[in-house]
Amino acid sequence: MTNYQTVAPDETQLRDGTIKLHGPEAFAGMRRAGRLAAENLDALAGRVVPGVTTQALDDFVREFTLDNGAVPATLGYRGYAHSCCISINHVVCHGIPSERTLKDGDIVNIDVTPLLDGWHGDSSRMFLVGDVPLKARRLVDVTYECLMLGVGQAKPGARLGDIGAAIQRHAEANRYGVVREFCGHGVGRLFHDAPEVVHAAKAGTGPEMVPGMFFTIEPMINLGKSPVKLLEDGWTAVTRDRSLSAQFEHTVGITEDGCEVFTLSPKGLDKPPY
Ligand code: MF3
Ligand code: CO
Ligand code: CO
């Protein structure tokens, strides 16, 4: 059973399993938070280069976020001590910024979540470091296509499973594997809320999408069919066989006739090359 709850923009919201339905004021808040996430990723474009440390990129994300009147939602979230996640090559998600330097040929996901005036804008993009082999670039391209095919299914009356079905179909047509261990999520005043948005599913299943729903779509697609394992640090998720993994993420809101993508790049830099 799916429970929806219409919420006022300033109402305290609980992680009680209900799917929140928001009004125009909340859309305005999410538009601003989402835009800031996108602008932060735009500003990273020229900085993800060989030799830079992922900690330096995290410092940039923190400063950019604070300078724009927001707070990185990941900072202090369940003990996480950084302003973004940076996931290189075989890291599937939640890579922790460190003194490691990027090298020519790396593919890198940077995932930012500014919390602006109480609203979360959650988005990630892939970045190509220097010369990236065709095989890796293809994975990145197809992963972006998967995200946008999922976004294309986000409309009132459709089911959340339609999103996963579109993503899975495209990934598997390219002989890639869809990560099952992590999913998209409801978002808004809360960072991670109901519903779960899975990236592999049967069409016509799952909760119906209703105007006013906010959630992320964030497919992780692997070059192989390898299982995912968690490293000792409790955060870093990797492919067990070290095969490459890619991810893109948008935050969307369901409207009367489709969806609004809150995290689109104002500069059109939604995917590489930037
Ligand atoms: N931004 C991530 C997501 O897309 C969550 C990161 S939580 C952290 O849901 F603690 F790992 F940073
Ligand atoms: Co997310
Ligand atoms: Co994210």
Side-chain angles (χ1 to χ4, degrees), residues 216-256:
T216 72
I217 306 175
E218 48 182 300
M220 286 141 276
I221 307 295
N222 296 348
L223 209 47
K225 296 258 163 14
S226 169
V228 169
K229 73 169 182 185
L230 203 60
L231 298 188
E232 304 280 275
D233 59 30
W235 286 104
T236 315
V238 299
T239 55
R240 191 176 284 279
D241 66 0
R242 299 181 68 86
S243 59
L244 291 179
S245 186
Q247 178 180 30
F248 286 86
E249 175 176 27
H250 273 317
T251 296
V252 306
I254 300 298
T255 60
E256 292 300 324

Side-chain angles (χ1 to χ4, degrees), residues 111 113 122 249:
D111 189 338
T113 313
D122 191 3
E249 175 176 27

Side-chain angles (χ1 to χ4, degrees), residues 8-26:
D10 294 327
E11 194 175 332
T12 303
Q13 290 169 25
L14 300 175
R15 266 200 98 195
D16 55 6
T18 63
I19 296 177
K20 278 68 173 184
L21 301 180
H22 303 269
E25 233 183 280

Side-chain angles (χ1 to χ4, degrees), residues 80-155:
Y80 192 81
H82 296 267
S83 299
C84 63
C85 296
I86 304 186
S87 304
I88 309 171
N89 296 336
H90 69 293
V91 179
V92 172
C93 64
H94 303 162
I96 303 174
S98 71
E99 291 311 317
R100 155 160 197 187
T101 56
L102 297 182
K103 60 177 202 313
D104 192 64
D106 284 343
I107 61 168
V108 181
N109 175 277
I110 305 184
D111 189 338
V112 301
T113 313
L115 172 58
L116 180 64
D117 298 332
W119 299 103
H120 292 83
D122 191 3
S123 186
S124 80
R125 294 181 202 154
M126 295 301 294
F127 296 83
L128 307 178
V129 182
D131 271 328
V132 171
L134 180 60
K135 197 170 128 177
R137 271 187 283 140
R138 257 199 84 237
L139 173 67
V140 169
D141 286 346
V142 171
T143 302
Y144 180 75
E145 290 162 9
C146 284
L147 169 62
M148 296 315 288
L149 286 167
V151 169
Q153 294 297 321
K155 52 189 166 229

